[in-house]
Amino acid sequence: MEDISVLICDDSALMRNLIGRIIDGTPGMKVVGKAMNGQFAVEKVPLLKPDVMVLDIEMPVMNGIEFLKKRKEMKWDFPVIILSSVATEGAAVTMQALELGAADFLTKPNGSTSADLSSVADRLTELLSSYGCQYARRHGRDVYPPEFFHQQAKMRRAEQLVVEKKGGDFLKGSSTASSPLLNRTTTPSLTERSSISSISNTARPVLDTKKPSFTWTPPAKKDPVTITPMRQGGRIEIIAIGISTGGPNALREVFRDLDPKIKQPILVVQHMPAGFTTEFANSLNRICPLQVQEANDGDVLKAGNIYIAPGNYHIFVEKRGFNYVVRLSQAEQRNGHRPSADVLFESVAKEFQNRALGVIMTGMGRDGAAEITEMRKQGAWTLGQDEASSVVYGMPKVAWEMGGVQKQVPLREMAANINKMAIEHANA
């Protein structure tokens, strides 16, 4: 197996070093180069030919937005993951980056605690492995699938829980010399020395460049369970979509081609942090013939409107009088997520039974799989994204194996399938 190759572009030597150690400490992945701004990255791309790139937004000489414009001009197609602190304060800039072709994003941690660094490391690894694997395989390279890296993360979290139960700190316990912020080949700046001092006195993340041994066996493929619905599919009165990793650009492709004649309200769970979904909805609204908005608690569902679940809130539907309304909740996470596709699908199955269309698309894990299966049992119509077009064939795979998906379709045909079903089954 070959390693997924990663190019890092960040103006901070501290961050380049930290990100590099996360990547080089992950079996199946390697850093092929680093750049301190977008101009250096432009010069390195033709030589290094990365599978995926980590890109900061705020940089001198050429910033991240300017690099993405140059990437588009050069017709480079490798995926770019935005990792930036400006993403939190400037959601509009982050959405601009996605519109210019960035694949996904995450924010740099505000603090320097071990929990912050661990969280970023796991999410960064997930994004790099998911997008990098898809790109590398599309170009004929033999690399590990996203599940390989997902299993590593699960093992790390399990190990962390064991250590914490014994009263220890999973990311402490190493000497100062082993800290990725201290074990450097360049002299840190005054600001970086201050950061290093605070981290060495609190949390010392162990992100060793020596790759640990890791044994992984690919999961066996399962034939889908046969489900006999309780009732035949009826008139479609609502459409519910669950999606995760790979979702921002997948939704752009689907929403761009939706038919303006669609009359059903559409509710969407896209796993995304708080503070971004308003701008995300606005960016989708600019390209979609239907009205797209971030959902508010109590919104009456309107025909042909699309409601995006706010970050950090579950979304579900509830009947109130003669109308159906959006409800939001900050109840506990489901399947590790809030919003959770399972929460949305569960409410649709309960309120609409066979009068609904459920769609489950690219994403890591199994969120949405159990409850879209329940929707199918109730007689609802269901679609799932196919393996070849999914950035991560996790959520739709589990749903397919559970019998919850009637038909698997590639991303390029998803909008056409939704249009056809929504219009044909608008009336009983």
Side-chain angles (χ1 to χ4, degrees):
M1 287 283 187
E2 300 176 70
D3 286 340
I4 293 170
S5 60
V6 186
L7 173 62
I8 301 168
C9 184
D10 195 299
D11 63 326
S12 165
L14 179 68
M15 287 305 301
R16 291 196 303 273
N17 188 62
L18 176 56
I19 297 166
R21 289 181 178 273
I22 292 171
I23 295 165
D24 281 332
T26 303
M29 200 177 294
K30 69 179 179 182
V31 175
V32 291
K34 299 178 183 179
M36 65 178 65
N37 59 52
Q39 184 57 51
F40 280 108
V42 167
E43 295 169 2
K44 291 188 176 190
V45 164
L47 301 173
L48 301 175
K49 296 180 172 60
D51 296 319
V52 63
M53 178 179 180
V54 181
L55 179 68
D56 191 13
I57 291 181
E58 286 191 319
M59 295 178 292
V61 184
M62 179 184 284
N63 63 31
I65 296 297
E66 292 166 336
F67 172 84
L68 289 169
K69 292 178 180 178
K70 185 68 175 179
R71 169 181 172 271
K72 193 172 183 179
E73 176 189 325
M74 299 298 292
K75 294 183 170 56
W76 293 331
D77 63 345
F78 60 87
V80 175
I81 308 300
I82 301 297
L83 175 61
S84 175
S85 56
V86 75
T88 304
E89 298 83 14
V93 176
T94 304
M95 292 307 123
Q96 184 185 4
L98 293 177
E99 291 170 2
L100 286 169
D104 219 315
F105 71 94
L106 71 163
T107 59
K108 292 177 181 176
N110 293 321
S112 55
T113 66
S114 58
D116 288 328
L117 295 168
S118 175
S119 173
V120 169
D122 282 349
R123 179 62 176 157
L124 180 61
T125 300
E126 177 186 328
L127 292 177
L128 292 175
S129 62
S130 300
Y131 290 99
C133 172
Q134 186 188 51
Y135 178 84
R137 288 186 166 183
R138 196 166 66 237
H139 288 77
R141 298 183 52 238
D142 189 19
V143 297
Y144 284 106
E147 291 83 3
F148 170 79
F149 301 92
H150 184 53
Q151 186 62 31
Q152 289 186 57
K154 286 174 64 177
M155 291 180 65
R156 282 196 302 269
R157 286 192 290 271
E159 187 177 340
Q160 180 178 358
L161 286 173
V162 170
V163 173
E164 289 175 351
K165 284 181 179 179
K166 293 181 179 179
D169 187 331
F170 180 65
L171 293 178
K172 283 186 178 182
S174 64
S175 67
T176 299
S178 69
S179 170
L181 304 182
L182 302 175
N183 187 9
R184 304 177 50 162
T185 58
T186 58
T187 302
S189 67
L190 181 61
T191 301
E192 291 173 346
R193 286 200 297 272
S194 175
S195 297
I196 290 169
S197 175
S198 68
I199 291 176
S200 64
N201 289 329
T202 55
R204 301 172 188 159
V206 181
L207 298 168
D208 200 343
T209 55
K210 181 180 178 182
K211 295 184 188 292
S213 59
F214 180 73
T215 303
W216 179 75
T217 303
K221 288 194 174 183
K222 301 177 183 177
D223 291 329
V225 173
T226 300
I227 287 179
T228 302
M230 297 168 62
R231 50 187 70 83
Q232 290 185 339
R235 178 180 70 250
I236 294 177
E237 297 179 3
I238 189 171
I239 300 171
I241 300 174
I243 190 168
S244 186
T245 309
N249 285 330
L251 286 176
R252 288 180 64 79
E253 183 168 339
V254 172
F255 283 15
R256 183 189 61 220
D257 296 329
L258 288 178
D259 194 313
K261 296 192 293 292
I262 288 178
K263 299 303 181 186
Q264 297 87 346
I266 301 174
L267 279 70
V268 181
V269 164
Q270 161 69 68
H271 296 156
M272 188 172 282
F276 294 92
T277 41
T278 299
E279 285 297 335
F280 182 55
N282 291 340
S283 71
L284 292 173
N285 190 51
R286 288 192 287 270
I287 63 170
C288 183
L290 303 177
Q291 177 69 34
V292 185
Q293 65 192 69
E294 184 183 50
N296 295 296
D297 190 53
D299 281 346
V300 176
L301 294 183
K302 296 179 181 178
N305 276 27
I306 299 176
Y307 303 85
I308 307 293
N312 203 33
Y313 282 86
H314 292 305
I315 184 173
F316 56 100
V317 292
E318 184 177 271
K319 190 164 188 181
R320 183 180 295 171
F322 294 103
N323 297 312
Y324 287 96
V325 299
V326 170
R327 297 308 310 270
L328 302 179
S329 163
Q330 286 194 308
E332 291 185 1
Q333 292 185 350
R334 181 94 69 94
N335 303 314
H337 297 285
R338 188 172 60 219
S340 163
D342 259 344
V343 171
L344 172 60
F345 291 154
E346 179 181 53
S347 69
V348 172
K350 175 184 175 183
E351 298 287 354
F352 290 88
Q353 297 180 335
N354 64 335
R355 309 185 317 278
L357 169 61
V359 182
I360 190 163
M361 297 176 65
T362 177
M364 183 74 76
R366 58 189 304 121
D367 187 37
E371 294 303 332
I372 199 171
T373 302
E374 179 59 29
M375 285 181 64
R376 182 69 196 122
K377 289 177 181 177
Q378 294 295 329
W381 309 85
T382 58
L383 295 172
Q385 189 172 347
D386 71 354
E387 181 174 8
S389 68
S390 295
V391 172
V392 185
Y393 187 56
M395 290 161 50
K397 174 187 177 183
V398 178
W400 171 256
E401 291 176 345
M402 294 178 72
V405 172
Q406 278 180 290
K407 180 183 179 183
Q408 293 192 104
V409 297
L411 176 60
R412 67 180 181 275
E413 297 175 14
M414 185 62 76
N417 275 267
I418 292 173
N419 292 337
K420 184 174 186 293
M421 297 181 74
I423 292 170
E424 284 187 358
H425 300 287
N427 299 299

